[in-house]
Amino acid sequence: MNTSNMSGSILTFVLGVGVGAVVALLLAPSTGEELREDISGKVTDGVNELRAAGKHVKRKAQGFVTDAKERVDEAVQAGEAAFNEANKE
């Protein structure tokens, strides 16, 4: 699974959970103040989960970038070595 697909899946899941929680709260019998507190708590939880997922995706992306840079550096070094070897002859 690539990173963009994974982040899209995580976002879709979090949004679905949020919508489901709001609908459940709206249909549950409770006072207006309790309902507002419940919605506020659920939104805060959703935001925290979304931030955590974003940080996870960011760390993964940084790892991919670091790995790609290392591979490019190795390829450049190998190319320079081959070039220097070819020029010796």
Side-chain angles (χ1 to χ4, degrees), residues 17-59:
V17 168
V19 169
V22 169
V23 169
L25 291 173
L26 291 174
L27 296 177
S30 60
T31 66
E33 185 176 340
E34 289 174 345
L35 180 61
R36 285 189 296 275
E37 288 175 5
D38 287 345
I39 290 173
S40 174
K42 296 296 181 184
V43 167
T44 300
D45 291 345
V47 167
N48 290 338
E49 287 181 28
L50 190 57
R51 282 184 182 150
K55 287 178 183 179
H56 176 72
V57 170
K58 180 181 176 182
R59 281 193 303 270

PDB file of all heavy atoms in Angstrom, residues 17-59:
ATOM      1  N   VAL A  17     -15.794   7.634  11.336  1.00  0.00           N
ATOM      2  CA  VAL A  17     -15.986   7.492  12.783  1.00  0.00           C
ATOM      3  C   VAL A  17     -16.610   8.765  13.352  1.00  0.00           C
ATOM      4  O   VAL A  17     -17.523   8.710  14.170  1.00  0.00           O
ATOM      5  CB  VAL A  17     -14.638   7.178  13.485  1.00  0.00           C
ATOM      6  CG1 VAL A  17     -14.756   7.321  14.985  1.00  0.00           C
ATOM      7  CG2 VAL A  17     -14.181   5.776  13.123  1.00  0.00           C
ATOM      8  N   GLY A  18     -16.110   9.916  12.894  1.00  0.00           N
ATOM      9  CA  GLY A  18     -16.642  11.187  13.386  1.00  0.00           C
ATOM     10  C   GLY A  18     -18.109  11.373  13.046  1.00  0.00           C
ATOM     11  O   GLY A  18     -18.912  11.750  13.910  1.00  0.00           O
ATOM     12  N   VAL A  19     -18.467  11.098  11.805  1.00  0.00           N
ATOM     13  CA  VAL A  19     -19.861  11.238  11.388  1.00  0.00           C
ATOM     14  C   VAL A  19     -20.752  10.263  12.161  1.00  0.00           C
ATOM     15  O   VAL A  19     -21.828  10.631  12.652  1.00  0.00           O
ATOM     16  CB  VAL A  19     -20.013  11.026   9.863  1.00  0.00           C
ATOM     17  CG1 VAL A  19     -21.469  10.901   9.462  1.00  0.00           C
ATOM     18  CG2 VAL A  19     -19.348  12.165   9.111  1.00  0.00           C
ATOM     19  N   GLY A  20     -20.295   9.051  12.315  1.00  0.00           N
ATOM     20  CA  GLY A  20     -21.066   8.062  13.068  1.00  0.00           C
ATOM     21  C   GLY A  20     -21.255   8.468  14.515  1.00  0.00           C
ATOM     22  O   GLY A  20     -22.345   8.301  15.086  1.00  0.00           O
ATOM     23  N   ALA A  21     -20.210   9.015  15.118  1.00  0.00           N
ATOM     24  CA  ALA A  21     -20.306   9.448  16.518  1.00  0.00           C
ATOM     25  C   ALA A  21     -21.293  10.598  16.663  1.00  0.00           C
ATOM     26  O   ALA A  21     -22.109  10.620  17.599  1.00  0.00           O
ATOM     27  CB  ALA A  21     -18.926   9.856  17.024  1.00  0.00           C
ATOM     28  N   VAL A  22     -21.253  11.559  15.744  1.00  0.00           N
ATOM     29  CA  VAL A  22     -22.172  12.701  15.818  1.00  0.00           C
ATOM     30  C   VAL A  22     -23.617  12.239  15.642  1.00  0.00           C
ATOM     31  O   VAL A  22     -24.502  12.654  16.385  1.00  0.00           O
ATOM     32  CB  VAL A  22     -21.796  13.781  14.781  1.00  0.00           C
ATOM     33  CG1 VAL A  22     -22.882  14.832  14.666  1.00  0.00           C
ATOM     34  CG2 VAL A  22     -20.468  14.433  15.157  1.00  0.00           C
ATOM     35  N   VAL A  23     -23.858  11.359  14.690  1.00  0.00           N
ATOM     36  CA  VAL A  23     -25.222  10.850  14.473  1.00  0.00           C
ATOM     37  C   VAL A  23     -25.703  10.098  15.706  1.00  0.00           C
ATOM     38  O   VAL A  23     -26.841  10.287  16.159  1.00  0.00           O
ATOM     39  CB  VAL A  23     -25.278   9.952  13.214  1.00  0.00           C
ATOM     40  CG1 VAL A  23     -26.600   9.203  13.133  1.00  0.00           C
ATOM     41  CG2 VAL A  23     -25.064  10.793  11.965  1.00  0.00           C
ATOM     42  N   ALA A  24     -24.847   9.273  16.287  1.00  0.00           N
ATOM     43  CA  ALA A  24     -25.227   8.523  17.486  1.00  0.00           C
ATOM     44  C   ALA A  24     -25.547   9.475  18.636  1.00  0.00           C
ATOM     45  O   ALA A  24     -26.521   9.267  19.378  1.00  0.00           O
ATOM     46  CB  ALA A  24     -24.109   7.574  17.881  1.00  0.00           C
ATOM     47  N   LEU A  25     -24.765  10.521  18.789  1.00  0.00           N
ATOM     48  CA  LEU A  25     -25.019  11.482  19.854  1.00  0.00           C
ATOM     49  C   LEU A  25     -26.321  12.245  19.635  1.00  0.00           C
ATOM     50  O   LEU A  25     -27.052  12.526  20.582  1.00  0.00           O
ATOM     51  CB  LEU A  25     -23.843  12.460  19.972  1.00  0.00           C
ATOM     52  CG  LEU A  25     -22.543  11.864  20.507  1.00  0.00           C
ATOM     53  CD1 LEU A  25     -21.422  12.889  20.398  1.00  0.00           C
ATOM     54  CD2 LEU A  25     -22.703  11.414  21.947  1.00  0.00           C
ATOM     55  N   LEU A  26     -26.582  12.597  18.394  1.00  0.00           N
ATOM     56  CA  LEU A  26     -27.809  13.329  18.099  1.00  0.00           C
ATOM     57  C   LEU A  26     -29.055  12.481  18.338  1.00  0.00           C
ATOM     58  O   LEU A  26     -30.114  13.007  18.696  1.00  0.00           O
ATOM     59  CB  LEU A  26     -27.787  13.849  16.663  1.00  0.00           C
ATOM     60  CG  LEU A  26     -26.779  14.962  16.382  1.00  0.00           C
ATOM     61  CD1 LEU A  26     -26.752  15.270  14.894  1.00  0.00           C
ATOM     62  CD2 LEU A  26     -27.109  16.214  17.178  1.00  0.00           C
ATOM     63  N   LEU A  27     -28.951  11.187  18.139  1.00  0.00           N
ATOM     64  CA  LEU A  27     -30.102  10.307  18.313  1.00  0.00           C
ATOM     65  C   LEU A  27     -30.249   9.800  19.747  1.00  0.00           C
ATOM     66  O   LEU A  27     -31.289   9.256  20.111  1.00  0.00           O
ATOM     67  CB  LEU A  27     -29.998   9.123  17.350  1.00  0.00           C
ATOM     68  CG  LEU A  27     -30.055   9.492  15.862  1.00  0.00           C
ATOM     69  CD1 LEU A  27     -29.869   8.241  15.012  1.00  0.00           C
ATOM     70  CD2 LEU A  27     -31.359  10.188  15.519  1.00  0.00           C
ATOM     71  N   ALA A  28     -29.224   9.984  20.562  1.00  0.00           N
ATOM     72  CA  ALA A  28     -29.271   9.508  21.944  1.00  0.00           C
ATOM     73  C   ALA A  28     -30.052  10.499  22.804  1.00  0.00           C
ATOM     74  O   ALA A  28     -29.948  11.708  22.623  1.00  0.00           O
ATOM     75  CB  ALA A  28     -27.857   9.353  22.493  1.00  0.00           C
ATOM     76  N   PRO A  29     -30.848   9.967  23.750  1.00  0.00           N
ATOM     77  CA  PRO A  29     -31.601  10.876  24.621  1.00  0.00           C
ATOM     78  C   PRO A  29     -30.679  11.494  25.677  1.00  0.00           C
ATOM     79  O   PRO A  29     -30.124  10.800  26.528  1.00  0.00           O
ATOM     80  CB  PRO A  29     -32.639   9.963  25.275  1.00  0.00           C
ATOM     81  CG  PRO A  29     -32.049   8.605  25.213  1.00  0.00           C
ATOM     82  CD  PRO A  29     -31.162   8.582  24.001  1.00  0.00           C
ATOM     83  N   SER A  30     -30.460  12.796  25.598  1.00  0.00           N
ATOM     84  CA  SER A  30     -29.664  13.503  26.591  1.00  0.00           C
ATOM     85  C   SER A  30     -29.998  14.984  26.523  1.00  0.00           C
ATOM     86  O   SER A  30     -30.607  15.456  25.564  1.00  0.00           O
ATOM     87  CB  SER A  30     -28.168  13.282  26.353  1.00  0.00           C
ATOM     88  OG  SER A  30     -27.787  13.749  25.086  1.00  0.00           O
ATOM     89  N   THR A  31     -29.570  15.731  27.539  1.00  0.00           N
ATOM     90  CA  THR A  31     -29.841  17.162  27.556  1.00  0.00           C
ATOM     91  C   THR A  31     -28.945  17.866  26.545  1.00  0.00           C
ATOM     92  O   THR A  31     -27.941  17.314  26.085  1.00  0.00           O
ATOM     93  CB  THR A  31     -29.581  17.749  28.949  1.00  0.00           C
ATOM     94  OG1 THR A  31     -28.183  17.650  29.227  1.00  0.00           O
ATOM     95  CG2 THR A  31     -30.378  17.024  30.011  1.00  0.00           C
ATOM     96  N   GLY A  32     -29.282  19.097  26.230  1.00  0.00           N
ATOM     97  CA  GLY A  32     -28.494  19.873  25.274  1.00  0.00           C
ATOM     98  C   GLY A  32     -27.068  20.063  25.734  1.00  0.00           C
ATOM     99  O   GLY A  32     -26.121  19.947  24.963  1.00  0.00           O
ATOM    100  N   GLU A  33     -26.898  20.349  27.030  1.00  0.00           N
ATOM    101  CA  GLU A  33     -25.547  20.560  27.555  1.00  0.00           C
ATOM    102  C   GLU A  33     -24.721  19.274  27.482  1.00  0.00           C
ATOM    103  O   GLU A  33     -23.559  19.302  27.065  1.00  0.00           O
ATOM    104  CB  GLU A  33     -25.612  21.056  28.996  1.00  0.00           C
ATOM    105  CG  GLU A  33     -24.246  21.402  29.571  1.00  0.00           C
ATOM    106  CD  GLU A  33     -24.337  21.988  30.971  1.00  0.00           C
ATOM    107  OE1 GLU A  33     -25.415  22.477  31.354  1.00  0.00           O
ATOM    108  OE2 GLU A  33     -23.310  21.949  31.658  1.00  0.00           O
ATOM    109  N   GLU A  34     -25.328  18.158  27.846  1.00  0.00           N
ATOM    110  CA  GLU A  34     -24.625  16.867  27.761  1.00  0.00           C
ATOM    111  C   GLU A  34     -24.259  16.548  26.317  1.00  0.00           C
ATOM    112  O   GLU A  34     -23.159  16.069  26.032  1.00  0.00           O
ATOM    113  CB  GLU A  34     -25.502  15.747  28.331  1.00  0.00           C
ATOM    114  CG  GLU A  34     -25.681  15.787  29.827  1.00  0.00           C
ATOM    115  CD  GLU A  34     -26.672  14.744  30.305  1.00  0.00           C
ATOM    116  OE1 GLU A  34     -27.431  14.188  29.466  1.00  0.00           O
ATOM    117  OE2 GLU A  34     -26.701  14.483  31.514  1.00  0.00           O
ATOM    118  N   LEU A  35     -25.184  16.836  25.421  1.00  0.00           N
ATOM    119  CA  LEU A  35     -24.950  16.568  24.004  1.00  0.00           C
ATOM    120  C   LEU A  35     -23.781  17.406  23.485  1.00  0.00           C
ATOM    121  O   LEU A  35     -22.888  16.898  22.802  1.00  0.00           O
ATOM    122  CB  LEU A  35     -26.211  16.849  23.190  1.00  0.00           C
ATOM    123  CG  LEU A  35     -26.115  16.618  21.691  1.00  0.00           C
ATOM    124  CD1 LEU A  35     -25.775  15.157  21.393  1.00  0.00           C
ATOM    125  CD2 LEU A  35     -27.424  16.991  21.021  1.00  0.00           C
ATOM    126  N   ARG A  36     -23.768  18.699  23.842  1.00  0.00           N
ATOM    127  CA  ARG A  36     -22.670  19.564  23.409  1.00  0.00           C
ATOM    128  C   ARG A  36     -21.333  19.082  23.972  1.00  0.00           C
ATOM    129  O   ARG A  36     -20.313  19.081  23.277  1.00  0.00           O
ATOM    130  CB  ARG A  36     -22.946  21.008  23.814  1.00  0.00           C
ATOM    131  CG  ARG A  36     -24.005  21.679  22.944  1.00  0.00           C
ATOM    132  CD  ARG A  36     -24.106  23.158  23.229  1.00  0.00           C
ATOM    133  NE  ARG A  36     -24.550  23.445  24.602  1.00  0.00           N
ATOM    134  CZ  ARG A  36     -25.828  23.498  24.985  1.00  0.00           C
ATOM    135  NH1 ARG A  36     -26.788  23.293  24.105  1.00  0.00           N
ATOM    136  NH2 ARG A  36     -26.138  23.770  26.225  1.00  0.00           N
ATOM    137  N   GLU A  37     -21.323  18.675  25.225  1.00  0.00           N
ATOM    138  CA  GLU A  37     -20.087  18.164  25.833  1.00  0.00           C
ATOM    139  C   GLU A  37     -19.631  16.885  25.138  1.00  0.00           C
ATOM    140  O   GLU A  37     -18.435  16.700  24.877  1.00  0.00           O
ATOM    141  CB  GLU A  37     -20.290  17.919  27.326  1.00  0.00           C
ATOM    142  CG  GLU A  37     -20.388  19.176  28.150  1.00  0.00           C
ATOM    143  CD  GLU A  37     -20.713  18.912  29.612  1.00  0.00           C
ATOM    144  OE1 GLU A  37     -20.766  17.727  30.015  1.00  0.00           O
ATOM    145  OE2 GLU A  37     -20.905  19.890  30.355  1.00  0.00           O
ATOM    146  N   ASP A  38     -20.593  16.000  24.842  1.00  0.00           N
ATOM    147  CA  ASP A  38     -20.254  14.745  24.157  1.00  0.00           C
ATOM    148  C   ASP A  38     -19.691  15.016  22.765  1.00  0.00           C
ATOM    149  O   ASP A  38     -18.678  14.440  22.361  1.00  0.00           O
ATOM    150  CB  ASP A  38     -21.483  13.839  24.046  1.00  0.00           C
ATOM    151  CG  ASP A  38     -21.883  13.222  25.368  1.00  0.00           C
ATOM    152  OD1 ASP A  38     -21.060  13.262  26.318  1.00  0.00           O
ATOM    153  OD2 ASP A  38     -23.007  12.697  25.454  1.00  0.00           O
ATOM    154  N   ILE A  39     -20.344  15.919  22.023  1.00  0.00           N
ATOM    155  CA  ILE A  39     -19.867  16.248  20.678  1.00  0.00           C
ATOM    156  C   ILE A  39     -18.485  16.876  20.744  1.00  0.00           C
ATOM    157  O   ILE A  39     -17.582  16.511  19.983  1.00  0.00           O
ATOM    158  CB  ILE A  39     -20.865  17.173  19.945  1.00  0.00           C
ATOM    159  CG1 ILE A  39     -22.145  16.409  19.606  1.00  0.00           C
ATOM    160  CG2 ILE A  39     -20.250  17.753  18.678  1.00  0.00           C
ATOM    161  CD1 ILE A  39     -23.255  17.268  19.035  1.00  0.00           C
ATOM    162  N   SER A  40     -18.311  17.794  21.689  1.00  0.00           N
ATOM    163  CA  SER A  40     -17.011  18.448  21.844  1.00  0.00           C
ATOM    164  C   SER A  40     -15.919  17.425  22.150  1.00  0.00           C
ATOM    165  O   SER A  40     -14.823  17.471  21.588  1.00  0.00           O
ATOM    166  CB  SER A  40     -17.086  19.494  22.953  1.00  0.00           C
ATOM    167  OG  SER A  40     -15.819  20.037  23.204  1.00  0.00           O
ATOM    168  N   GLY A  41     -16.215  16.492  23.040  1.00  0.00           N
ATOM    169  CA  GLY A  41     -15.245  15.455  23.390  1.00  0.00           C
ATOM    170  C   GLY A  41     -14.909  14.566  22.205  1.00  0.00           C
ATOM    171  O   GLY A  41     -13.739  14.236  21.973  1.00  0.00           O
ATOM    172  N   LYS A  42     -15.920  14.179  21.460  1.00  0.00           N
ATOM    173  CA  LYS A  42     -15.695  13.307  20.300  1.00  0.00           C
ATOM    174  C   LYS A  42     -14.911  14.033  19.212  1.00  0.00           C
ATOM    175  O   LYS A  42     -14.042  13.444  18.569  1.00  0.00           O
ATOM    176  CB  LYS A  42     -17.018  12.789  19.725  1.00  0.00           C
ATOM    177  CG  LYS A  42     -17.800  11.904  20.667  1.00  0.00           C
ATOM    178  CD  LYS A  42     -17.050  10.626  20.979  1.00  0.00           C
ATOM    179  CE  LYS A  42     -17.877   9.759  21.897  1.00  0.00           C
ATOM    180  NZ  LYS A  42     -17.191   8.550  22.311  1.00  0.00           N
ATOM    181  N   VAL A  43     -15.218  15.300  18.997  1.00  0.00           N
ATOM    182  CA  VAL A  43     -14.475  16.066  17.997  1.00  0.00           C
ATOM    183  C   VAL A  43     -13.014  16.178  18.415  1.00  0.00           C
ATOM    184  O   VAL A  43     -12.103  16.007  17.601  1.00  0.00           O
ATOM    185  CB  VAL A  43     -15.109  17.460  17.787  1.00  0.00           C
ATOM    186  CG1 VAL A  43     -14.189  18.372  17.005  1.00  0.00           C
ATOM    187  CG2 VAL A  43     -16.448  17.324  17.076  1.00  0.00           C
ATOM    188  N   THR A  44     -12.783  16.460  19.691  1.00  0.00           N
ATOM    189  CA  THR A  44     -11.411  16.553  20.194  1.00  0.00           C
ATOM    190  C   THR A  44     -10.684  15.225  20.016  1.00  0.00           C
ATOM    191  O   THR A  44      -9.526  15.195  19.580  1.00  0.00           O
ATOM    192  CB  THR A  44     -11.412  16.960  21.683  1.00  0.00           C
ATOM    193  OG1 THR A  44     -12.060  18.224  21.808  1.00  0.00           O
ATOM    194  CG2 THR A  44      -9.998  17.061  22.226  1.00  0.00           C
ATOM    195  N   ASP A  45     -11.361  14.123  20.329  1.00  0.00           N
ATOM    196  CA  ASP A  45     -10.751  12.797  20.136  1.00  0.00           C
ATOM    197  C   ASP A  45     -10.426  12.564  18.667  1.00  0.00           C
ATOM    198  O   ASP A  45      -9.352  12.059  18.331  1.00  0.00           O
ATOM    199  CB  ASP A  45     -11.688  11.690  20.632  1.00  0.00           C
ATOM    200  CG  ASP A  45     -11.854  11.682  22.144  1.00  0.00           C
ATOM    201  OD1 ASP A  45     -11.041  12.340  22.840  1.00  0.00           O
ATOM    202  OD2 ASP A  45     -12.798  11.022  22.624  1.00  0.00           O
ATOM    203  N   GLY A  46     -11.346  12.929  17.786  1.00  0.00           N
ATOM    204  CA  GLY A  46     -11.122  12.751  16.353  1.00  0.00           C
ATOM    205  C   GLY A  46      -9.953  13.583  15.855  1.00  0.00           C
ATOM    206  O   GLY A  46      -9.130  13.103  15.067  1.00  0.00           O
ATOM    207  N   VAL A  47      -9.870  14.818  16.331  1.00  0.00           N
ATOM    208  CA  VAL A  47      -8.757  15.680  15.927  1.00  0.00           C
ATOM    209  C   VAL A  47      -7.434  15.086  16.407  1.00  0.00           C
ATOM    210  O   VAL A  47      -6.441  15.065  15.671  1.00  0.00           O
ATOM    211  CB  VAL A  47      -8.963  17.117  16.475  1.00  0.00           C
ATOM    212  CG1 VAL A  47      -7.698  17.936  16.351  1.00  0.00           C
ATOM    213  CG2 VAL A  47     -10.114  17.793  15.752  1.00  0.00           C
ATOM    214  N   ASN A  48      -7.416  14.592  17.634  1.00  0.00           N
ATOM    215  CA  ASN A  48      -6.188  13.988  18.164  1.00  0.00           C
ATOM    216  C   ASN A  48      -5.779  12.749  17.367  1.00  0.00           C
ATOM    217  O   ASN A  48      -4.601  12.548  17.079  1.00  0.00           O
ATOM    218  CB  ASN A  48      -6.356  13.638  19.641  1.00  0.00           C
ATOM    219  CG  ASN A  48      -6.430  14.867  20.521  1.00  0.00           C
ATOM    220  OD1 ASN A  48      -5.975  15.938  20.150  1.00  0.00           O
ATOM    221  ND2 ASN A  48      -7.032  14.723  21.687  1.00  0.00           N
ATOM    222  N   GLU A  49      -6.757  11.929  16.996  1.00  0.00           N
ATOM    223  CA  GLU A  49      -6.465  10.745  16.185  1.00  0.00           C
ATOM    224  C   GLU A  49      -5.943  11.150  14.810  1.00  0.00           C
ATOM    225  O   GLU A  49      -5.000  10.538  14.287  1.00  0.00           O
ATOM    226  CB  GLU A  49      -7.709   9.874  16.039  1.00  0.00           C
ATOM    227  CG  GLU A  49      -8.089   9.131  17.291  1.00  0.00           C
ATOM    228  CD  GLU A  49      -9.323   8.260  17.107  1.00  0.00           C
ATOM    229  OE1 GLU A  49      -9.574   7.810  15.974  1.00  0.00           O
ATOM    230  OE2 GLU A  49     -10.023   8.041  18.098  1.00  0.00           O
ATOM    231  N   LEU A  50      -6.543  12.173  14.231  1.00  0.00           N
ATOM    232  CA  LEU A  50      -6.114  12.642  12.919  1.00  0.00           C
ATOM    233  C   LEU A  50      -4.696  13.196  12.978  1.00  0.00           C
ATOM    234  O   LEU A  50      -3.881  12.934  12.095  1.00  0.00           O
ATOM    235  CB  LEU A  50      -7.089  13.693  12.393  1.00  0.00           C
ATOM    236  CG  LEU A  50      -6.937  14.127  10.956  1.00  0.00           C
ATOM    237  CD1 LEU A  50      -7.031  12.933  10.015  1.00  0.00           C
ATOM    238  CD2 LEU A  50      -8.000  15.144  10.598  1.00  0.00           C
ATOM    239  N   ARG A  51      -4.383  13.925  14.028  1.00  0.00           N
ATOM    240  CA  ARG A  51      -3.017  14.442  14.191  1.00  0.00           C
ATOM    241  C   ARG A  51      -2.014  13.304  14.331  1.00  0.00           C
ATOM    242  O   ARG A  51      -0.934  13.338  13.740  1.00  0.00           O
ATOM    243  CB  ARG A  51      -2.933  15.340  15.421  1.00  0.00           C
ATOM    244  CG  ARG A  51      -3.499  16.708  15.208  1.00  0.00           C
ATOM    245  CD  ARG A  51      -3.299  17.588  16.423  1.00  0.00           C
ATOM    246  NE  ARG A  51      -3.906  18.886  16.188  1.00  0.00           N
ATOM    247  CZ  ARG A  51      -4.406  19.640  17.139  1.00  0.00           C
ATOM    248  NH1 ARG A  51      -4.373  19.251  18.394  1.00  0.00           N
ATOM    249  NH2 ARG A  51      -4.929  20.812  16.837  1.00  0.00           N
ATOM    250  N   ALA A  52      -2.375  12.300  15.127  1.00  0.00           N
ATOM    251  CA  ALA A  52      -1.477  11.159  15.308  1.00  0.00           C
ATOM    252  C   ALA A  52      -1.260  10.437  13.979  1.00  0.00           C
ATOM    253  O   ALA A  52      -0.135  10.053  13.646  1.00  0.00           O
ATOM    254  CB  ALA A  52      -2.041  10.203  16.361  1.00  0.00           C
ATOM    255  N   ALA A  53      -2.334  10.253  13.213  1.00  0.00           N
ATOM    256  CA  ALA A  53      -2.207   9.596  11.911  1.00  0.00           C
ATOM    257  C   ALA A  53      -1.348  10.439  10.972  1.00  0.00           C
ATOM    258  O   ALA A  53      -0.513   9.906  10.239  1.00  0.00           O
ATOM    259  CB  ALA A  53      -3.594   9.375  11.301  1.00  0.00           C
ATOM    260  N   GLY A  54      -1.518  11.759  11.013  1.00  0.00           N
ATOM    261  CA  GLY A  54      -0.707  12.640  10.182  1.00  0.00           C
ATOM    262  C   GLY A  54       0.764  12.568  10.547  1.00  0.00           C
ATOM    263  O   GLY A  54       1.633  12.545   9.668  1.00  0.00           O
ATOM    264  N   LYS A  55       1.063  12.522  11.834  1.00  0.00           N
ATOM    265  CA  LYS A  55       2.453  12.404  12.277  1.00  0.00           C
ATOM    266  C   LYS A  55       3.055  11.073  11.824  1.00  0.00           C
ATOM    267  O   LYS A  55       4.209  11.017  11.421  1.00  0.00           O
ATOM    268  CB  LYS A  55       2.544  12.533  13.801  1.00  0.00           C
ATOM    269  CG  LYS A  55       2.321  13.941  14.288  1.00  0.00           C
ATOM    270  CD  LYS A  55       2.379  14.030  15.801  1.00  0.00           C
ATOM    271  CE  LYS A  55       2.079  15.444  16.266  1.00  0.00           C
ATOM    272  NZ  LYS A  55       2.108  15.549  17.738  1.00  0.00           N
ATOM    273  N   HIS A  56       2.249  10.018  11.879  1.00  0.00           N
ATOM    274  CA  HIS A  56       2.722   8.700  11.444  1.00  0.00           C
ATOM    275  C   HIS A  56       3.043   8.718   9.949  1.00  0.00           C
ATOM    276  O   HIS A  56       4.101   8.238   9.529  1.00  0.00           O
ATOM    277  CB  HIS A  56       1.670   7.640  11.758  1.00  0.00           C
ATOM    278  CG  HIS A  56       2.023   6.277  11.270  1.00  0.00           C
ATOM    279  ND1 HIS A  56       3.001   5.509  11.852  1.00  0.00           N
ATOM    280  CD2 HIS A  56       1.540   5.544  10.241  1.00  0.00           C
ATOM    281  CE1 HIS A  56       3.109   4.373  11.203  1.00  0.00           C
ATOM    282  NE2 HIS A  56       2.226   4.369  10.217  1.00  0.00           N
ATOM    283  N   VAL A  57       2.144   9.293   9.166  1.00  0.00           N
ATOM    284  CA  VAL A  57       2.369   9.368   7.719  1.00  0.00           C
ATOM    285  C   VAL A  57       3.593  10.238   7.417  1.00  0.00           C
ATOM    286  O   VAL A  57       4.404   9.905   6.543  1.00  0.00           O
ATOM    287  CB  VAL A  57       1.107   9.906   6.995  1.00  0.00           C
ATOM    288  CG1 VAL A  57       1.393  10.233   5.546  1.00  0.00           C
ATOM    289  CG2 VAL A  57      -0.021   8.896   7.097  1.00  0.00           C
ATOM    290  N   LYS A  58       3.754  11.322   8.165  1.00  0.00           N
ATOM    291  CA  LYS A  58       4.901  12.206   7.968  1.00  0.00           C
ATOM    292  C   LYS A  58       6.205  11.466   8.259  1.00  0.00           C
ATOM    293  O   LYS A  58       7.175  11.577   7.502  1.00  0.00           O
ATOM    294  CB  LYS A  58       4.785  13.432   8.873  1.00  0.00           C
ATOM    295  CG  LYS A  58       5.926  14.407   8.728  1.00  0.00           C
ATOM    296  CD  LYS A  58       5.766  15.593   9.660  1.00  0.00           C
ATOM    297  CE  LYS A  58       6.963  16.517   9.587  1.00  0.00           C
ATOM    298  NZ  LYS A  58       6.842  17.633  10.524  1.00  0.00           N
ATOM    299  N   ARG A  59       6.238  10.694   9.354  1.00  0.00           N
ATOM    300  CA  ARG A  59       7.447   9.924   9.685  1.00  0.00           C
ATOM    301  C   ARG A  59       7.760   8.906   8.601  1.00  0.00           C
ATOM    302  O   ARG A  59       8.922   8.718   8.220  1.00  0.00           O
ATOM    303  CB  ARG A  59       7.285   9.223  11.036  1.00  0.00           C
ATOM    304  CG  ARG A  59       7.488  10.125  12.231  1.00  0.00           C
ATOM    305  CD  ARG A  59       7.632   9.328  13.519  1.00  0.00           C
ATOM    306  NE  ARG A  59       6.496   8.458  13.788  1.00  0.00           N
ATOM    307  CZ  ARG A  59       5.415   8.824  14.481  1.00  0.00           C
ATOM    308  NH1 ARG A  59       5.317  10.040  14.957  1.00  0.00           N
ATOM    309  NH2 ARG A  59       4.433   7.973  14.682  1.00  0.00           N
TER     310      ARG A  59
END
